């Protein structure tokens, strides 16, 4: 299947987020018209507002990258926001897409939809095979419902709509708040500030031994445009880099990019979290997409952006 994006009207829902922003940037090369609508234009939690907005804007395709997102603490303390708001946002958009006959829709989830103890690397068919990680199950349940709603529209109405599940992301537009950020932006900021202050040590949470997979958001956006054009199947599809790195190695790579040698101090009062989290992206790679930059190159360009624009 090839869906030609040229001259199509493509709504990037959530264009102010890291993923939506990257998708909007990437779509500029496709000769399509990119539609954006901030919260002041349409409140995505409001069903009639979304319906009205869709009636006016009439997109040919939608990338559904709008969601309430946050780290472990936010998820744990505001479960209603993460479950209810995400259910509403996706149901409203998918409903209106059906009402106005939108040809293509790409729904985005995350790797947290998979069971806590899923075998690694995590393949798509691990979905719903075991209990979720309790700290983010609110977000995960909403995202699983989204995947199922897309599948239900495929089954009942023959829609050519799809879902993709990205691994841990980084890049422009990331969250650099040290309390709520993920490890890569946190360590980038810590090394940068240590260099500015001349500190001799940088604190790394946990043991440094956990393994994580990282993908630059612009590589994700490239994969998503590929899927929008070429993928049409009931099953959601994983999008990862396939490369694992230990937190210690990540810290050393970041030190090199920032150009600052400091002693790594491992803070064992902080949790390691899951020892390993790697997606199996072989289905995506078998389709012909495998366009991942190296972690060092990705961190380097991200750091250049930070030096230019600030955190
Ligand atoms: P996770 O992938 O859901 O576990 O989320 P994180 O990206 O927050 O953490 C990944 C790993 O990096 C964990 O083992 C953390 O303990 C470790 N880590 C090391 N230093 C930091 C830091 O400064 N911030 C964060 N968030 N994690 C860190």
């Amino acid at each position: 299947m090839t869906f030609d994006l040229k001259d199509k009207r493509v709504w990037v829902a959530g264009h102010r987020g890291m993923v939506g922003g990257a998708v909007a940037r990437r779509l500029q090369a496709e000769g399509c018209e990119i539609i954006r609508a901030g919260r002041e234009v349409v409140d995505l939690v409001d069903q009639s507002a979304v319906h009205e907005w869709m009636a006016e804007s009439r997109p040919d395709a939608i990338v559904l990258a709008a969601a309430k997102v946050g780290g472990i603490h936010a998820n744990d303390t505001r479960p209603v926001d993460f479950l209810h708001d995400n259910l509403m946002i996706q149901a409203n958009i998918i409903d209106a897409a059906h009402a106005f006959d939108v040809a293509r829709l790409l729904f985005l989830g995350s790797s947290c939809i998979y069971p806590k103890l899923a075998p690694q690397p995590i393949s798509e068919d691990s979905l719903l095979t075991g209990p979720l990680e309790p700290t983010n199950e609110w977000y995960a349940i909403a995202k699983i419902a989204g995947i199922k709603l897309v599948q239900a529209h495929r089954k009942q109405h023959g829609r050519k709509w799809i879902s993709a599940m990205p691994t841990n992301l980084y890049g422009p537009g990331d969250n650099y708040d040290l309390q709520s950020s993920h490890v890569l932006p946190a360590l980038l900021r810590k090394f940068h500030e240590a260099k500015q202050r001349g500190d001799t040590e940088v604190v790394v949470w946990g043991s440094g031994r956990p393994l994580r997979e990282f993908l630059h958001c612009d590589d994700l956006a490239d994969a998503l445009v590929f899927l929008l054009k070429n993928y049409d199947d009931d099953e959601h599809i994983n999008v990862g880099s396939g490369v694992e790195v230990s937190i210690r190695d990540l810290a050393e790579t970041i030190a090199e990019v920032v150009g600052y040698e400091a002693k790594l101090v491992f803070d064992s009062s902080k949790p390691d979290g899951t020892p390993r989290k790697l997606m199996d992206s072989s289905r995506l790679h078998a389709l012909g997409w495998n366009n991942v930059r190296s972690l060092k190159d990705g961190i380097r360009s991200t750091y250049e952006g930070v030096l230019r624009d600030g955190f």
Side-chain angles (χ1 to χ4, degrees), residues 168 178 180-184 186-187 190 203-207 210 212 214 247 270-274 277:
N168 298 346
L178 290 181
S180 61
S181 63
H182 285 284
V183 59
L184 194 154
L187 291 181
K190 285 183 184 177
V203 175
V204 179
W205 294 357
S207 67
R212 292 290 183 274
F214 298 97
I247 300 302
K270 294 285 195 302
D272 267 350
T274 184
K277 196 160 65 175

Side-chain angles (χ1 to χ4, degrees), residues 7-240:
D7 298 328
K8 297 288 189 335
R9 289 169 59 75
V10 185
W11 177 24
V12 181
H15 71 277
R16 287 191 181 135
M18 176 164 64
V19 173
V23 171
R25 280 196 297 280
R26 174 61 184 78
L27 281 171
Q28 281 166 359
E30 295 297 316
C32 56
E33 185 185 343
I34 302 160
I35 311 173
R36 301 172 176 85
R39 195 160 304 167
E40 65 293 347
V41 177
V42 54
D43 176 3
L44 299 175
V45 179
D46 179 339
Q47 186 179 21
S48 52
V50 173
H51 198 89
E52 269 168 43
W53 193 78
M54 197 83 82
E56 282 166 30
S57 63
R58 300 302 293 261
D60 301 298
I62 300 175
V63 178
L64 210 174
K68 178 143 288 189
V69 297
I72 184 166
H73 181 68
N75 250 275
D76 229 10
T77 50
R78 290 189 286 119
V80 175
D81 298 0
F82 281 86
L83 180 56
H84 171 270
D85 289 6
N86 285 318
L87 284 172
M88 294 303 285
I89 291 167
Q90 66 205 31
N92 290 342
I93 294 176
I94 290 172
D95 232 41
H98 178 58
F100 295 99
D101 231 3
V102 174
R104 287 287 272 168
L105 183 143
L106 169 54
F107 175 70
L108 279 158
S110 98
S111 58
C112 74
I113 59 161
Y114 292 115
K116 187 182 166 76
L117 301 176
Q120 310 265 336
I122 310 170
S123 70
E124 287 86 354
D125 55 18
S126 287
L127 186 67
L128 293 172
T129 56
L132 299 165
E133 157 63 41
T135 49
N136 57 26
E137 67 178 343
W138 318 102
Y139 180 79
I141 292 278
K143 289 293 177 185
I144 293 169
I147 294 171
K148 290 292 161 191
L149 189 55
V150 166
Q151 284 174 356
H153 274 280
R154 291 182 63 89
K155 191 173 157 81
Q156 191 173 334
H157 302 297
R159 295 284 177 204
K160 293 181 183 307
W161 298 349
I162 54 172
S163 300
M165 301 302 121
T167 187
N168 298 346
L169 301 168
Y170 68 98
D174 209 343
N175 169 18
Y176 287 95
D177 171 56
L178 290 181
Q179 290 313 308
S180 61
S181 63
H182 285 284
V183 59
L184 194 154
L187 291 181
L188 197 54
R189 180 168 196 155
K190 285 183 184 177
F191 272 98
H192 174 75
E193 290 180 349
K195 182 179 182 178
Q196 284 186 317
R197 290 193 297 253
D199 295 349
T200 52
E201 295 181 343
V202 165
V203 175
V204 179
W205 294 357
S207 67
R209 283 192 296 270
L211 299 169
R212 292 290 183 274
E213 177 187 26
F214 298 97
L215 182 69
H216 193 284
C217 61
D218 288 340
D219 292 342
L220 169 71
D222 191 60
L224 296 179
V225 168
F226 172 84
L227 291 171
L228 209 48
K229 290 170 153 177
N230 298 301
Y231 186 67
D232 183 31
D233 199 274
D234 289 346
E235 191 153 43
H236 62 282
I237 188 156
N238 288 345
V239 185

